[in-house]
Amino acid sequence: MRLKLKPVNDSLKRKAPPAGIVLEFPNINRVPFYYNRAKYQSILKLEKKKAWDKVLPLLAEYVGNFGIENFYKDTKLLWRLGQLYERLGQKDRAIAYYRLVLKHHRTDIRQVQQYYDSLEQKNKDLYVPLNYYYELVEYRKSVATFKPPRGIYTNMGDAINSKAEDYGPAVHSDEELFIYTSRRKGVKGKGTDEDLYFSRFEGGFWQEGQSFGKPINSVYNEGSACLSRDGKTLYFARCDSPDGLGNCDLYSATRLGDGSWGQIKNLGAAVNSNAWDSQPTLSPQEDTLYFASDRLGGFGMSDIYFTYKQKNGQWAPAQNLGPVINTRESEVSPYFHPLYQVLYFSSRGQLLNFGDFDIYKSYRVNDRWQEPRNIGPLVNGQGSEYYFTINANSTNLYYARSEPSDLKNLDLYSFPLPMEAHPLAVTKLTGVLTDSVTHKPLNGIISIIDLDNGIEVASKYLREDGSFDFDLIDNSRYMMMIQSPDFFSIEKEIDLKQDTVLKIMTTLIDYSIPLIFKNLEFDEGKAEIKDAMKPTLDRIVLFLVDHPQVRLSIEGHTDSSGDPNANIELSQWRAFSIQKYLEDKGQLAPGRIDAVGKGSSEPIKPELTIEDRAVNRRVEFKLIKPKDAATGGGDW
């Protein structure tokens, strides 16, 4: 069943992250290597004199002229430029150049890594391990009013998948047509070749996959296709063909008037190389084609390239997408979102990796590509994620993966698109959590729940300075939850309208002091739980559910009026009533809560007035922390 989001207004469509630091290298596709002996010698002389303010503009200009080869041959100059910016207080520019060093180095760069880590410490994302994240979800499931949806991989079923490998998905903009690559028996009659298949979405289901047939599928290998918005032009890769320039080339096919496909054309030497060229994707305007290639002259094993339509209708010579997107490793599987200026791709050379190949997104702002962002651990696991696509409504991610029982066989799956991957998640929610008494930062886990769209957001640890940040969707409602062994969970609903900064303060729990809540008042002579008491008791339930190692002692107390024995019995029943409510609501294991009635034996103050008696009528909660739990956050 397909999910449908509410229509996105124009302001959201135009919304984009701030441009930030923009690094321009105009020579990337002009010269392979830049060197100017006179300018280089001038820089060295000024460096010997430690004239840093004079070195900076000269070195910045020199580095700005870099060609592709400079990034691995002259990585030290990027490093020195970053050091200069850091020395002169321009931290953001220093970080940008350190990133380039880490992406393109081919030697030992431990010192650069240390510099970069020290500068980025306050911005580093500390994702909660995925298995622990789902444990947190399970802990809260029975009691939390707001709980994050659990992302589920859904196999697309036998209609799409076969016993052979199925991968390379592309969903058409209206999500009525699904195109993919399969190694099932095709034109050759055996399962070793690659062919293109398609499926239509009808009656709420994907229909049986069908081969594109001849002439698109041939005795050669075809795969990795994308379709124009009007459905009349198909771009795809064909390998080992006699008319190819390399082992795989990009081709186009035209849908003819009778519905068949024809006019298959190799995109030519301006686009293809004598190497591997594959995995095409169109820009929203369909005037630019992005693809992956392992041709010589790139930054790494394979890079993302692009070509654009010229006025004469021909494709321009292909160009490298540059050193921000491409690294010394491999970049593959580009996918351009059909509505927004967002490029998704897989890489094993970016700076935050959860596995081998991870999926990243990069925004195009003012004709420049921003630093790629990992789309998070809810999608990227310990293996490789590539061959993927996202539907136009940004509700589902489709990609190929294998089951642990059969790692060699790829099947196509759908997965609810998490917040980190959403193209509209560009509004910042930042904040810091401190102790209300000492004003020192606190630690814990922070979770964000999308209340409007049900989009999952991976939980993070608070950083050492108590700070956090999330990229969210503007004009949406969220529930923020912060959990820790050291304080009661914090829940705050946020109606996000723009970039928002929160300053949150809370009080640490002192396990040596009993907790007394004023609104836990029973009717005179009775032990039934009243509705007014439930919000407070629910907070205690949540704490116990979130912290399964903590035990609780409940003590009921009365004033001195009446028969002492009757008071002990009444206080005991009141403590039992609270114990039963907490255990039932939180489905807590027996033995975690002790309940005892003290009657009037332990007054807080002498009962000289009616107010004094009210103070002595109370319920005390004593939280018992495990003896082996670490201080300052325990296992968090």
Side-chain angles (χ1 to χ4, degrees):
M1 182 175 180
R2 289 182 300 165
L3 298 176
K4 291 186 178 180
L5 288 181
K6 60 185 180 182
V8 179
N9 62 42
D10 289 338
S11 64
L12 284 181
K13 287 186 178 182
R14 293 192 297 269
K15 177 75 173 175
I21 298 298
V22 176
L23 302 181
E24 298 188 53
F25 300 96
N27 277 345
I28 285 298
N29 289 290
R30 296 176 186 170
V31 298
F33 183 76
Y34 172 78
Y35 177 70
N36 185 304
R37 186 176 185 278
K39 291 183 177 181
Y40 187 60
Q41 291 299 324
S42 296
I43 291 170
L44 293 179
K45 289 178 182 179
L46 290 171
E47 282 184 332
K48 288 182 179 180
K49 296 178 181 179
K50 297 184 178 181
W52 309 124
D53 55 336
K54 294 181 180 180
V55 173
L56 180 58
L58 293 180
L59 185 56
E61 180 191 3
Y62 192 91
V63 168
N65 288 315
F66 272 13
I68 290 177
E69 292 180 13
N70 291 96
F71 281 83
Y72 62 87
K73 291 180 178 179
D74 287 332
T75 315
K76 61 183 179 182
L77 295 184
L78 296 170
W79 160 232
R80 278 150 63 179
L81 184 56
Q83 284 183 301
L84 274 179
Y85 279 122
E86 184 180 359
R87 179 188 293 273
L88 298 176
Q90 298 186 47
K91 173 186 169 184
D92 290 342
R93 284 199 169 272
I95 289 174
Y97 282 101
Y98 289 156
R99 282 177 180 150
L100 289 178
V101 175
L102 295 173
K103 289 181 183 182
H104 297 283
H105 74 90
R106 298 190 182 182
T107 56
D108 185 9
I109 43 80
R110 281 175 292 184
Q111 190 177 9
V112 184
Q113 186 73 59
Q114 292 170 359
Y115 272 77
Y116 176 76
D117 289 345
S118 66
L119 290 178
E120 278 286 79
Q121 194 64 40
K122 292 185 178 181
N123 300 315
K124 189 175 183 181
D125 285 324
L126 304 174
Y127 285 106
V128 172
L130 195 57
N131 59 341
Y132 191 30
Y133 166 75
Y134 284 135
E135 286 181 17
L136 291 174
V137 174
E138 291 302 314
Y139 285 152
R140 302 181 64 86
K141 186 170 286 187
S142 62
V143 291
T145 306
F146 306 105
K147 52 183 180 286
R150 182 166 184 170
I152 298 175
Y153 293 100
T154 303
N155 189 297
M156 297 190 71
D158 294 340
I160 299 289
N161 292 308
S162 67
K163 294 182 179 179
E165 291 178 287
D166 302 282
Y167 50 94
V171 62
H172 198 233
S173 57
D174 60 5
E175 206 174 358
E176 299 297 333
L177 185 67
F178 188 82
I179 302 171
Y180 60 104
T181 307
S182 180
R183 287 186 177 271
R184 68 190 71 180
K185 291 182 179 180
V187 173
K188 291 183 190 177
K190 54 185 179 181
T192 58
D193 63 317
E194 296 174 295
D195 283 337
L196 283 170
Y197 283 73
F198 68 91
S199 172
R200 297 191 182 278
F201 194 83
E202 297 175 357
F205 298 95
W206 290 108
Q207 302 303 303
E208 190 77 23
Q210 302 177 50
S211 170
F212 269 88
K214 296 180 179 180
I216 288 179
N217 290 329
S218 69
V219 295
Y220 310 110
N221 291 329
E222 289 80 25
S224 299
C226 68
L227 189 65
S228 62
R229 196 161 35 247
D230 62 9
K232 295 181 179 180
T233 306
L234 183 76
Y235 297 94
F236 64 99
R238 176 175 282 174
C239 303
D240 305 319
S241 176
D243 67 341
L245 302 176
N247 61 331
C248 288
D249 278 17
L250 297 177
Y251 290 75
S252 66
T254 301
R255 193 171 182 85
L256 305 178
D258 62 359
S260 64
W261 290 96
Q263 300 180 16
I264 296 178
K265 299 178 182 178
N266 186 302
L267 294 191
V271 177
N272 292 309
S273 68
N274 60 1
W276 172 81
D277 302 289
S278 186
Q279 302 172 344
T281 181
L282 281 169
S283 66
Q285 295 77 25
E286 301 191 346
D287 57 356
T288 306
L289 190 71
Y290 297 83
F291 61 98
S293 177
D294 66 358
R295 64 188 65 187
L296 295 176
F299 288 97
M301 305 285 289
S302 60
D303 284 1
I304 308 297
Y305 288 79
F306 72 97
T307 177
Y308 60 89
K309 276 283 182 71
Q310 301 177 101
K311 291 182 179 179
N312 62 5
Q314 300 299 309
W315 291 107
Q319 299 182 51
N320 193 291
L321 209 55
V324 174
I325 299 295
N326 293 313
T327 70
R328 73 187 186 282
E329 293 285 352
S330 293
E331 279 68 45
V332 294
S333 298
Y335 171 72
F336 212 117
H337 196 282
L339 298 181
Y340 310 106
Q341 293 293 312
V342 187
L343 178 70
Y344 296 81
F345 63 97
S346 291
S347 172
R348 65 192 312 180
Q350 300 293 329
L351 302 189
L352 174 60
N353 258 59
F354 294 100
D356 187 16
F357 277 91
D358 277 10
I359 301 174
Y360 297 81
K361 67 177 180 180
S362 177
Y363 292 88
R364 187 171 175 81
V365 181
N366 299 328
D367 294 328
R368 296 291 182 271
W369 292 107
Q370 290 196 319
E371 181 67 21
R373 309 176 187 194
N374 191 299
I375 66 171
L378 296 182
V379 172
N380 291 319
Q382 295 180 357
S384 295
E385 280 71 39
Y386 42 73
Y387 291 132
F388 62 90
T389 190
I390 297 170
N391 64 343
N393 284 340
S394 304
T395 55
N396 287 318
L397 173 77
Y398 300 93
Y399 71 130
R401 62 187 293 265
S402 58
E403 292 292 349
S405 59
D406 189 5
L407 294 175
K408 293 184 179 180
N409 184 45
L410 288 171
D411 272 357
L412 287 161
Y413 285 73
S414 66
F415 183 74
L417 193 70
M419 186 65 70
E420 288 81 0
H422 203 286
L424 296 181
V426 294
T427 300
K428 284 282 186 185
L429 175 67
T430 61
V432 62
L433 177 67
T434 57
D435 179 19
S436 60
V437 177
T438 65
H439 299 284
K440 292 182 178 180
L442 299 178
N443 58 25
I445 290 175
I446 181 165
S447 303
I448 303 290
I449 291 82
D450 183 323
L451 301 179
D452 287 332
N453 305 311
I455 298 176
E456 196 166 2
V457 189
S459 297
K460 300 177 183 178
Y461 293 102
L462 294 170
R463 302 187 186 100
E464 287 187 6
D465 61 358
S467 68
F468 61 87
D469 64 66
F470 290 87
D471 292 322
L472 304 175
I473 301 174
D474 209 359
N475 295 318
S476 298
R477 293 183 309 117
Y478 298 92
M479 175 60 65
M480 179 184 71
M481 298 186 297
I482 308 178
Q483 304 159 263
S484 170
D486 296 328
F487 52 82
F488 278 97
S489 298
I490 298 168
E491 294 191 2
K492 180 178 178 61
E493 188 170 337
I494 300 166
D495 191 4
L496 194 65
K497 296 296 184 184
Q498 57 187 356
D499 290 347
T500 301
V501 179
L502 300 175
K503 293 183 178 179
I504 306 167
M505 304 184 78
T506 191
T507 303
L508 290 174
I509 291 175
D510 188 339
Y511 284 82
S512 64
I513 300 177
L515 300 173
I516 302 174
F517 299 97
K518 293 182 180 180
N519 58 349
L520 292 184
E521 296 179 0
F522 291 88
D523 289 335
E524 186 174 352
K526 295 184 177 181
E528 288 78 17
I529 300 294
K530 298 166 63 176
D531 288 342
M533 302 163 62
K534 291 180 180 179
T536 298
L537 295 178
D538 288 347
R539 288 188 65 203
I540 298 171
V541 171
L542 283 174
F543 184 86
L544 293 173
V545 170
D546 287 343
H547 310 94
Q549 303 305 316
V550 174
R551 296 184 65 254
L552 176 68
S553 173
I554 303 171
E555 294 183 357
H557 298 266
T558 67
D559 59 36
S560 61
S561 61
D563 178 67
N565 292 328
N567 285 340
I568 289 178
E569 183 177 359
L570 177 60
S571 64
Q572 183 71 69
W573 279 113
R574 287 176 174 175
F576 282 157
S577 293
I578 293 176
Q579 179 188 25
K580 185 176 188 307
Y581 179 90
L582 298 180
E583 289 179 342
D584 290 348
K585 188 69 181 288
Q587 299 180 13
L588 303 176
R592 282 190 65 189
I593 301 176
D594 298 327
V596 62
K598 296 283 188 175
S600 58
S601 62
E602 297 181 6
I604 292 177
K605 58 191 307 184
E607 297 178 0
L608 303 178
T609 65
I610 295 177
E611 288 75 15
D612 294 338
R613 289 186 176 183
V615 169
N616 287 335
R617 294 194 302 269
R618 68 197 187 278
V619 178
E620 292 186 359
F621 298 87
K622 294 180 180 179
L623 294 169
I624 305 170
K625 198 172 186 178
K627 293 181 180 180
D628 59 347
T631 58
D635 294 333
W636 300 83

